[in-house]
């Protein structure tokens, strides 16, 4: 493959990644609303650690550097938490009324 073809494949993969991220965020939003309604803690540190461990393990299995996988999932978790906070607060407020 030449550089143009390689870039086209990368662009196609980026579309897949964004689509998967959107699907993941849909469920993150639903989980945040549920946590707010049920008055559960927003952050589950054990769960976050479990997700990072899973990403690192899966990365090693497929030959991706663990540090790359960890960096990506930590960024996803951080951005998801920002979204979750907004939804969580709205859910808690609506439960009071």
């Amino acid at each position: 493959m030449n550089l143009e073809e390689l870039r086209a494949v990368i662009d196609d993969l980026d579309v897949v990644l964004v689509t998967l991220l959107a699907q993941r965020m849909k469920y993150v939003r639903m989980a945040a609303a549920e946590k707010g309604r049920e008055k559960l803690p927003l952050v589950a540190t054990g769960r976050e650690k479990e997700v990072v461990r899973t990403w690192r393990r899966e990365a090693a299995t497929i030959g991706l550097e663990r540090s790359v996988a960890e960096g990506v999932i930590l960024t996803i978790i951080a951005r998801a938490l920002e979204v979750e906070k907004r939804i969580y607060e709205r859910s808690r407020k609506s439960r009071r009324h």
Side-chain angles (χ1 to χ4, degrees):
M1 285 187 178
N2 64 33
L3 183 56
E4 187 175 305
E5 292 168 329
L6 292 168
R7 286 179 173 162
V9 171
I10 291 168
D11 291 346
D12 290 344
L13 290 170
D14 286 344
V15 171
V16 173
L17 288 170
V18 170
T19 301
L20 290 172
L21 183 57
Q23 290 175 2
R24 188 183 196 283
M25 290 304 296
K26 173 185 171 183
Y27 290 98
V28 164
R29 287 183 191 92
M30 292 168 57
E34 183 67 15
K35 290 175 189 177
R37 281 191 297 275
E38 298 299 322
K39 297 191 188 300
L40 298 171
L42 179 61
V43 176
T45 306
R47 172 69 180 143
E48 289 180 13
K49 289 179 182 177
E50 175 187 333
V51 170
V52 171
R53 275 194 308 272
T54 299
W55 272 62
R56 287 178 56 83
R57 183 181 64 244
E58 291 300 319
T61 300
I62 62 172
L64 175 66
E65 293 88 352
R66 289 179 180 187
S67 62
V68 171
E70 185 172 351
V72 169
I73 193 57
L74 288 173
T75 299
I76 291 171
I77 289 170
R79 298 296 79 80
L81 186 56
E82 292 171 4
V83 171
E84 279 189 284
K85 284 178 183 177
R86 291 191 302 269
I87 294 167
Y88 181 81
E89 289 304 318
R90 281 196 304 259
S91 296
R92 288 179 59 91
K93 288 177 185 175
S94 67
R95 171 103 184 196
R96 288 184 218 150
H97 294 103

